[in-house]
Amino acid sequence: MKTVLTIIGVAAVVAAVWFFAVSGERRHDMLTRIDQAVQGNDTLTETPKIVAEQQRRERIRQNTSWTAENRALHPIEYCQAQLEELTVHARRLEASAHEVATKQSEVRRTMGDNEAMVTNLAKFLDEAKKAYRACEASNSWPVVLGGYSLTKEKAQDKIIEASQRLSPLRSRLATQKNQLVHLEKKASAISNEQRRLENLRERVQSTISDLKVKTVIDGNSSVADSLNAIHDAMGSLGVDFDAPKVEDVLAPGAELSREAMFEKIMAE
């Protein structure tokens, strides 16, 4: 008996060594034949590698995605999975809505500050130019600006300084107004998407209820139509609602000499 067991053991070791010694292609052929034999395929027809690989990829796809076959076989589970996806998407929308609202508040606040500064600078510039012209016409210096007595040169500096501050502020205000319009459109789009998402959630929940109480039967085309509609609607979600960055875009003007800049300001 021991002799027989020893012979069988040696044969098994030799077979194992031979199996691992052969090429990978021959091992593949042998495993394919064994698999076919186990499945009861008496013809032992060899499956081409390319076909076997495609079959493997298809098995992976069926195991990792909600294919039409999986949706038809497991409609309730599919709907439950979509509810989870909708919850995740709803959180993203809430985060985007909060970010946009924060940006809107920031832009409105800075716009208010800039508008007040533009008003003050414009008023000062108008009064300073009138006072400067009056002193120049009567050749009586210094000129009084904001309660301070200034020489002709100092008055010119203050007028240039006010104008230089006023121009970029006006440009910034125009940019901020465009940004606010963009933010308002973004907020409206998010709100519309949130309503659409809520409608889709109700549709999915209604479909689950119908399936659970069996008000629809297997094979009913309305079930497939409902699932397909849910699938299509889910695919259309995910619009990019990232809040835009607010940037102050200032267009630099051409360099002018002090005298030319002052003459240009006074001519306005």
Side-chain angles (χ1 to χ4, degrees):
M1 184 64 179
K2 289 184 177 180
T3 303
V4 174
L5 293 175
T6 302
I7 293 173
I8 293 174
V10 172
V13 171
V14 171
V17 172
W18 176 82
F19 178 79
F20 286 104
V22 299
S23 66
E25 184 174 352
R26 292 185 62 188
R27 285 201 301 271
H28 172 78
D29 294 341
M30 292 173 61
L31 290 173
T32 299
R33 290 175 176 272
I34 292 171
D35 182 58
Q36 291 172 337
V38 171
Q39 295 177 14
N41 187 345
D42 296 333
T43 60
L44 295 180
T45 303
E46 180 181 354
T47 302
K49 283 187 189 178
I50 191 169
V51 175
E53 177 60 21
Q54 181 58 39
Q55 290 172 341
R56 185 186 68 83
R57 287 199 295 265
E58 177 60 17
R59 286 195 298 271
I60 293 173
R61 188 177 77 90
Q62 291 291 344
N63 285 331
T64 57
S65 62
W66 282 108
T67 62
E69 296 84 357
N70 284 333
R71 295 198 300 269
L73 291 173
H74 308 284
I76 293 180
E77 290 81 0
Y78 169 72
C79 290
Q80 291 169 337
Q82 302 321 298
L83 285 178
E84 294 175 2
E85 286 293 324
L86 288 172
T87 298
V88 173
H89 192 66
R91 289 172 183 164
R92 286 199 296 264
L93 286 175
E94 288 173 4
S96 294
H98 175 73
E99 188 173 0
V100 169
T102 300
K103 288 293 185 182
Q104 284 178 307
S105 177
E106 178 186 338
V107 171
R108 290 192 183 102
R109 175 177 54 78
T110 55
M111 279 183 64
D113 294 342
N114 289 338
E115 286 172 345
M117 183 61 69
V118 165
T119 298
N120 291 336
L121 284 173
K123 181 180 179 182
F124 168 80
L125 191 58
D126 183 59
E127 292 174 352
K129 287 162 67 174
K130 288 179 181 178
Y132 182 92
R133 291 189 183 106
C135 287
E136 189 175 41
S138 61
N139 195 24
S140 57
W141 302 98
V143 60
V144 178
L145 298 179
Y148 292 92
S149 296
L150 302 176
T151 64
K152 182 176 183 179
E153 291 74 17
K154 287 293 184 182
Q156 289 178 353
D157 290 340
K158 292 301 179 183
I159 290 172
I160 291 174
E161 180 184 348
S163 178
Q164 286 178 326
R165 292 179 61 188
L166 185 60
S167 179
L169 275 174
R170 283 174 170 162
S171 176
R172 193 175 304 156
L173 269 176
T175 299
Q176 289 174 326
K177 287 177 181 177
N178 290 335
Q179 290 169 341
L180 194 57
V181 169
H182 181 73
L183 286 167
E184 288 170 352
K185 289 181 179 179
K186 183 70 71 175
S188 177
I190 292 175
S191 179
N192 290 338
E193 182 74 352
Q194 286 175 319
R195 285 193 294 270
R196 191 165 75 95
L197 186 146
E198 191 56 36
N199 290 335
L200 181 55
R201 187 195 304 278
E202 292 175 1
R203 186 195 307 176
V204 175
Q205 289 172 333
S206 176
T207 301
I208 291 176
S209 298
D210 289 344
L211 289 166
K212 284 185 175 180
V213 300
K214 299 187 183 302
T215 57
V216 292
I217 60 174
D218 293 340
N220 190 329
S221 61
S222 63
V223 179
D225 292 342
S226 180
L227 294 176
N228 288 337
I230 291 172
H231 182 70
D232 293 341
M234 292 295 297
S236 67
L237 296 177
V239 179
D240 182 12
F241 287 115
D242 289 339
K245 294 180 180 178
V246 179
E247 298 177 354
D248 294 332
V249 182
L250 301 179
E255 291 295 329
L256 296 174
S257 67
R258 179 182 179 282
E259 293 76 12
M261 183 181 297
F262 181 75
E263 291 301 326
K264 180 177 181 296
I265 294 168
M266 295 301 294
E268 294 175 347

